[in-house]
Amino acid sequence: MTENSRIVKDSVAPVIVKGAAANGHHAQLANGGHAALGKDGKKVAVPLLESDAHAIHEPPDGGTRAWLVMVGAFLCNGVLFGVINTYSVVYLSLQKQLQEIGDNEASGKAALVGSLTIGTTFLLSPVSGILTDKIGLRRTTFIGGLLTCSGMFLSSFFTHSVTALYFTYGIMFGLGAALAYTPSLAILGHYFKRYLGLVNGVVTAGSSVFTAIMPVCLNYLVEHTGLATSFRILAIISSFVIFCALLYKPLQPPPPPPKVKPGRSAVNTFLRSFINFDNWKKRRYIIWAVSIPIALFGYFVPYVHMGKFVQDNFPGKGENLPVMCIGITSGLGRLIFGFIADMPRVNRVLLQQMSFVLIGTLTMCLPATGSFPLLLAIALAMGLFDGCFISLLGPIAYDICGPRGATQAIGFLLGMCSLPLTLGPPVAGMLYDQTGSYKLPFILAGIPPLFGASTMFLIRCVKDDDPKQATMVTEPKLEPLAHTAWDCENPTDGKPLNGSLHHERRATLASSGINAKSPLLTHASVSSLILEAYIADNPVFRLYAERKYCYGIL
């Protein structure tokens, strides 16, 4: 009652901000929520709600900063996966060097460098999600940029030592890519909501654009300048990630610290301080996070074995042309399906299911292709739906887990995907060695995407709390508190009150000597007035009510 006494004494009409908290506390004002007008016309400090520090802000869906963030994320994706996807050029040079010194395991050792890079990038993505929540998007991306740049620069001094490249190129660059990739997807939800699907499509298309350009440029550099100089130039290109990090100004607050509950062990409390366990309480996310890795067991097989398949079945044809077709239409698919995903009433999960069904079906059709043009047509279609699958990862994570849980949701999903992406192609290679044909490997590779798409139907059968119901800070609308007090205590869902109830409320307040139009009421005092008015009208408690409670000295 002390706070209420100060309000009445200073004759300040308290106001509330639309969408802010109630229960008699002052909400944030439009100028930042730090002051109200006192009796002398000067601003008086007003304490903010504790929950406002963790309020979720509405994304601006545009503006100069938002579009710069999109361009930065586009460059970040392009640089990272442009380097990773063009390792075949580096592989040929390393393999040649190892063969010249008489190494009998030249192919395996050279391939392991690239495998460590892609495996580390996905496997350590959960670490990126945790660091993002602890130290922020900008710092995590900045550290990732430093690691990628440093790893590539150090690799230029160890071009003749594959063992050193395992650490500098494979683990060091891969860790930097993991730390920078997850924030590049998570930051988009801070600036976009209505166009989130399209923006994700544009950003993820960066990897397709750079993958189409960098092989030619890198091959020219390796032939004319050597591997060491090429690595130094790649280090300069990787430094762009550091500058992209400077654009990543987060708009959403970090997740609130976990509540300390009695009886919880120290280990449990420690883990909860790093891992967002709320995501793993959402059954929809669990189903989605399990279905995606299942589908990816066969997803990457055509990318790895397509060249050998063309050599066996269409000798003399361009063995790299089908993979190039997949890359081109994948970038186009990310833009098209990103735009479609933003349309009203479009189910993004269902759209991703459709992409897996078609990828699996087209993979199973590969052994039956009788002509090279038909194979190119299938590759073009596979790339289109590959872009659909990739562009929807970020938007679906935001739909299921909300802005606060999306970062770790993406990170842990990518970490879980590292195992099937690594195991699928070797298993297909073993089957090819046993059978001498790609018929069985490609047919079996088409089954996991179909099965993963089927298990995603379970998402429609479960229901979680809507993450969008969290407190959202919108444009403030100042209103007299007394005008909305009744509506807060007795919501009418926007319907006008009937005459009898309206007069009854006025009579109830009047019975306590209170003016119903007074701007001095707070939510807490209105609740008390209703109770006191009832007691005062009851003969048993009337004497007690008159002596015990007095609202004139608020």
Side-chain angles (χ1 to χ4, degrees):
M1 300 299 289
T2 304
E3 185 179 345
N4 292 340
S5 301
R6 181 181 60 79
I7 294 174
V8 174
K9 181 180 179 181
D10 294 344
S11 300
V12 179
V15 295
I16 66 170
V17 181
K18 184 178 180 182
N23 300 326
H25 296 282
H26 296 288
Q28 277 185 293
L29 303 181
N31 62 358
H34 299 88
L37 293 177
K39 60 182 180 180
D40 55 355
K42 296 182 179 180
K43 291 184 178 181
V44 180
V46 177
L48 296 178
L49 287 174
E50 183 179 354
S51 60
D52 287 346
H54 302 290
I56 300 175
H57 299 266
E58 188 75 19
D61 261 326
T64 304
R65 181 105 193 178
W67 300 119
L68 286 176
V69 167
M70 185 193 74
V71 173
F74 172 88
L75 293 175
C76 186
N77 272 257
V79 168
L80 295 177
F81 285 94
V83 173
I84 292 174
N85 294 339
T86 56
Y87 177 74
S88 58
V89 178
V90 179
Y91 166 79
L92 293 175
S93 181
L94 285 178
Q95 183 191 37
K96 183 179 179 180
Q97 288 183 7
L98 292 172
Q99 287 177 343
E100 289 177 352
I101 62 175
D103 194 328
N104 296 326
E105 299 177 351
S107 298
K109 290 182 178 180
L112 184 57
V113 177
S115 299
L116 283 174
T117 306
I118 188 67
T120 304
T121 300
F122 284 96
L123 185 62
L124 298 183
S125 290
V127 177
S128 175
I130 294 172
L131 275 180
T132 299
D133 285 344
K134 297 301 290 186
I135 66 175
L137 287 159
R138 181 179 289 174
R139 291 179 181 176
T140 304
T141 308
F142 189 84
I143 295 173
L146 287 177
L147 287 173
T148 55
C149 181
S150 302
M152 192 60 66
F153 182 72
L154 290 175
S155 298
S156 65
F157 298 100
F158 301 103
T159 54
H160 296 283
S161 175
V162 179
T163 305
L165 290 177
Y166 291 156
F167 175 75
T168 58
Y169 195 110
I171 297 177
M172 197 170 177
F173 183 89
L175 175 59
L179 295 181
Y181 176 57
T182 301
S184 71
L185 298 181
I187 189 63
L188 301 178
H190 290 239
Y191 287 87
F192 298 95
K193 181 179 180 182
R194 181 181 177 185
Y195 306 111
L196 183 59
L198 178 60
V199 171
N200 267 272
V202 173
V203 169
T204 54
S207 61
S208 299
V209 173
F210 276 71
T211 301
I213 298 174
M214 286 188 66
V216 179
C217 299
L218 185 58
N219 188 56
Y220 177 86
L221 287 173
V222 171
E223 289 181 355
H224 291 80
T225 65
L227 199 57
T229 304
S230 299
F231 281 165
R232 294 188 183 104
I233 295 176
L234 288 179
I236 296 174
I237 296 175
S238 299
S239 66
F240 290 170
V241 177
I242 300 175
F243 296 102
C244 293
L246 302 178
L247 298 173
Y248 291 176
K249 181 181 179 181
L251 299 182
Q252 306 296 352
K259 297 180 180 179
V260 179
K261 295 184 178 180
R264 181 176 289 172
S265 65
V267 176
N268 193 335
T269 304
F270 177 78
L271 290 176
R272 287 178 179 273
S273 66
F274 289 95
I275 301 175
N276 188 346
F277 281 89
D278 289 339
N279 286 345
W280 301 101
K281 295 178 182 178
K282 302 179 186 296
R283 290 170 291 181
R284 297 171 64 208
Y285 175 71
I286 293 175
I287 295 171
W288 184 62
V290 171
S291 300
I292 297 295
I294 290 175
L296 294 185
F297 266 107
Y299 164 84
F300 207 54
V301 170
Y303 290 83
V304 176
H305 295 279
M306 183 67 77
K308 182 63 175 175
F309 175 75
V310 173
Q311 287 181 354
D312 293 348
N313 294 273
F314 306 100
K317 302 293 184 179
E319 58 189 43
N320 294 323
L321 189 57
V323 177
M324 291 177 59
C325 291
I326 292 177
I328 293 172
T329 53
S330 177
L332 184 62
R334 298 175 196 197
L335 298 175
I336 294 174
F337 288 101
F339 175 77
I340 294 174
D342 288 332
M343 292 183 176
R345 298 183 180 180
V346 172
N347 189 321
R348 291 168 174 169
V349 175
L350 190 61
L351 203 61
Q352 198 172 59
Q353 286 178 271
M354 178 197 71
S355 68
F356 278 132
V357 169
L358 291 173
I359 288 174
T361 303
L362 292 171
T363 301
M364 299 174 73
C365 292
L366 286 175
T369 53
S371 63
F372 191 67
L374 179 60
L375 177 64
L376 295 180
I378 293 177
L380 291 171
M382 289 179 65
L384 196 66
F385 296 108
D386 166 80
C388 174
F389 150 67
I390 293 176
S391 65
L392 294 178
L393 288 177
I396 292 177
Y398 269 90
D399 290 343
I400 295 178
C401 298
R404 287 177 177 168
T407 303
Q408 288 200 24
I410 296 172
F412 277 93
L413 175 67
L414 295 177
M416 295 171 65
C417 291
S418 63
L419 184 64
L421 286 174
T422 305
L423 293 181
V427 171
M430 291 191 316
L431 291 174
Y432 174 78
D433 292 337
Q434 295 293 326
T435 61
S437 171
Y438 276 109
K439 182 177 181 179
L440 181 61
F442 280 164
I443 291 176
L444 294 179
I447 296 177
L450 296 176
F451 185 75
S454 301
T455 57
M456 290 173 69
F457 277 113
L458 296 175
I459 296 176
R460 303 172 64 90
C461 303
V462 298
K463 187 176 182 181
D464 296 317
D465 294 334
D466 190 357
K468 298 178 182 179
Q469 291 179 354
T471 304
M472 186 75 71
V473 175
T474 57
E475 288 296 326
K477 180 181 179 182
L478 303 180
E479 300 175 353
L481 188 55
H483 178 70
T484 59
W486 278 114
D487 295 330
C488 293
E489 297 292 339
N490 302 281
T492 58
D493 299 329
K495 298 179 181 179
L497 297 173
N498 58 47
S500 60
L501 183 57
H502 182 70
H503 290 299
E504 180 181 348
R505 288 178 172 177
R506 287 180 176 272
T508 305
L509 285 175
S511 66
S512 297
I514 301 298
N515 182 5
K517 297 182 179 181
S518 172
L520 306 179
L521 301 179
T522 63
H523 295 298
S525 63
V526 169
S527 301
S528 301
L529 286 174
I530 297 173
L531 178 61
E532 289 304 319
Y534 170 77
I535 295 175
D537 289 340
N538 193 313
V540 179
F541 301 106
R542 181 170 299 175
L543 181 61
Y544 174 79
E546 291 175 354
R547 299 297 181 186
K548 185 66 177 177
Y549 297 98
C550 180
Y551 289 95
I553 58 171
L554 290 174

